[in-house]
Amino acid sequence: CLSCRHLKTKELPIRTVGKYVVGQQTTRSKATIISGTKLAKEIHKEVQKDVESWLTLGNKRPHLSVILVGDNPASHTYVKNKIKAATIVGITSEVIQRPSSISQEDLLDILSKLNNDSSVSGLLVQLPLPDHINERAICNAVAPEKDVDGFHIVNIGRLCLDQYSIIPATAGAVWEIIKRTGIETFGKNVVVAGRSKNVGMPISMLLHTDGTHERPGGDATVTITHRYTPKELLKFHTQLADIVIVAAGIPKLITADMIKEGAAVIDVGINYVEDPATGKTMLTGDVDFEEVKKKADFITPVPGGVGPVTVAMLLKNTLMTAKKLVF
């Protein structure tokens, strides 16, 4: 009867939205956990197949050059993952390492040579850079047609004008997760927590723009929050949101009381914190995962969520630059 439905929880079969979900879901008990690792493997297979087809036509194998400055452990890990994934899909690669003391002029010289090297299909400079180097100047020094990060002002401009462009890999990963998982964006309310020009801004552009344009968008109503948004105002917006995307770099910024029942939560955050139980350093996102998954319909974990898909989208961008599909 209607009055006693709440007394019994009916167990449902494993929910398969696309092929990228894991875990079993019971009525309103926990979210479908989106496996970015599985999704990334699917993209790897697609890119590998496209690379083989490209070579069959007599074209050169795509080649990715990565410039790594300094000794930041996280940057070294990210680059290692990119190189490993490139090998899997058949894209050759190289890492050009330089000390943190390198001058901006010397770094610009390296970029100039790689821009003019016809064997280099895609090029990126791993961020962040040392304080004495202007990141914007470096991003704009990468030839836009080789800019696999999508950070050049021309690529950002084309993105903002809904034109076909090289989309920043993290933003592209979030968009890919939403599309492949079947999360509806048309007419929905979305909150993007974080306004960085490399992540928050391009994610917002992809989600709010017109779905009929040259570069189709999500037709969502997007609210952007940032570090100066009062916590209560942030909570007000997230409680109204159908989709919450968090890229603020603040552990447990989003808690269960800030999410409405049935929302989709995509955690882009990367934070290294001490595990209180073991004292060891652990990787965590910006969302209180264990609590929020009890209210959300969809959620991405950290690690194993947006990160692997970001690397996969970088490989798609490298193949795109090799084929010269934008420029």
Side-chain angles (χ1 to χ4, degrees):
C1 65
L2 290 175
S3 62
C4 62
R5 280 184 182 175
H6 68 284
L7 298 177
K8 185 176 181 181
T9 299
K10 181 181 178 182
E11 188 171 283
L12 299 176
I14 291 176
R15 190 172 178 180
T16 53
V17 183
K19 294 171 280 187
Y20 318 112
V21 297
V22 295
Q24 196 166 39
Q25 186 174 34
T26 56
T27 302
R28 301 281 0 113
S29 65
K30 62 174 63 176
T32 295
I33 301 171
I34 303 170
S35 174
T37 303
K38 288 185 178 181
L39 198 159
K41 288 180 179 178
E42 192 70 25
I43 297 172
H44 288 168
K45 291 178 182 179
E46 294 168 7
V47 174
Q48 183 179 33
K49 183 178 179 180
D50 286 346
V51 168
E52 291 171 354
S53 297
W54 179 245
L55 296 176
T56 300
L57 296 174
N59 297 295
K60 292 189 299 183
R61 186 177 295 277
H63 179 81
L64 173 65
S65 292
V66 180
I67 299 176
L68 177 59
V69 177
D71 301 314
N72 184 309
S75 292
H76 279 257
T77 298
Y78 299 150
V79 169
K80 181 180 178 181
N81 290 340
K82 292 169 184 177
I83 298 303
K84 180 180 178 180
T87 301
I88 290 172
V89 303
I91 293 175
T92 60
S93 60
E94 63 176 334
V95 180
I96 301 169
Q97 292 189 237
R98 292 294 183 269
S100 58
S101 59
I102 188 174
S103 68
Q104 181 166 308
E105 291 71 24
D106 287 345
L107 185 53
L108 289 170
D109 285 341
I110 295 173
L111 285 173
S112 178
K113 291 176 182 176
L114 294 172
N115 284 338
N116 293 307
D117 186 342
S118 61
S119 69
V120 176
S121 312
L123 171 60
L124 71 87
V125 180
Q126 182 65 43
L127 302 180
L129 291 170
D131 291 340
H132 67 278
I133 297 177
N134 185 316
E135 286 190 358
R136 176 41 51 196
I138 297 302
C139 290
N140 285 342
V142 175
E145 67 273 15
K146 295 187 178 185
D147 173 34
V148 293
D149 265 337
F151 293 163
H152 191 283
I153 193 170
V154 169
N155 283 315
I156 291 295
R158 291 178 66 91
L159 173 68
C160 291
L161 292 173
D162 302 355
Q163 295 179 356
Y164 197 53
S165 64
I166 301 170
I167 297 172
T170 302
V174 171
W175 187 223
E176 200 74 10
I177 287 170
I178 288 172
K179 290 189 294 182
R180 294 197 183 217
T181 308
I183 297 170
E184 182 60 64
T185 61
F186 187 89
K188 300 297 184 179
N189 282 327
V190 177
V191 167
V192 177
R195 60 179 177 183
S196 75
K197 298 300 179 281
N198 296 340
V199 181
M201 186 275 287
I203 288 173
S204 302
M205 296 305 302
L206 289 169
L207 284 168
H208 94 271
T209 46
D210 196 315
T212 65
H213 284 182
E214 179 182 324
R215 191 270 302 143
D219 284 309
T221 299
V222 179
T223 300
I224 304 173
T225 65
H226 48 76
R227 59 180 173 172
Y228 297 123
T229 303
K231 188 67 179 284
E232 285 306 308
L233 185 57
L234 172 63
K235 182 177 179 179
F236 170 80
H237 288 301
T238 55
Q239 286 179 334
L240 295 175
D242 302 295
I243 304 171
V244 178
I245 300 166
V246 199
I250 303 174
K252 294 189 177 181
L253 173 66
I254 303 299
T255 51
D257 62 312
M258 301 171 70
I259 299 297
K260 75 176 184 179
E261 295 278 352
V265 181
I266 299 179
D267 192 347
V268 189
I270 299 175
N271 306 289
Y272 292 92
V273 300
E274 183 178 303
D275 186 336
T278 64
K280 296 181 179 180
T281 299
M282 59 182 286
L283 178 62
T284 186
D286 291 350
V287 175
D288 186 351
F289 180 80
E290 293 301 325
E291 295 303 315
V292 171
K293 74 178 183 181
K294 297 174 183 177
K295 288 184 71 176
D297 256 8
F298 299 94
I299 191 169
T300 59
V302 177
V306 175
V309 186
T310 296
V311 175
M313 297 308 292
L314 181 76
L315 302 179
K316 287 193 73 170
N317 284 353
T318 302
L319 181 58
M320 183 185 298
T321 57
K323 292 182 174 182
K324 302 186 186 302
L325 294 179
V326 178
F327 298 96

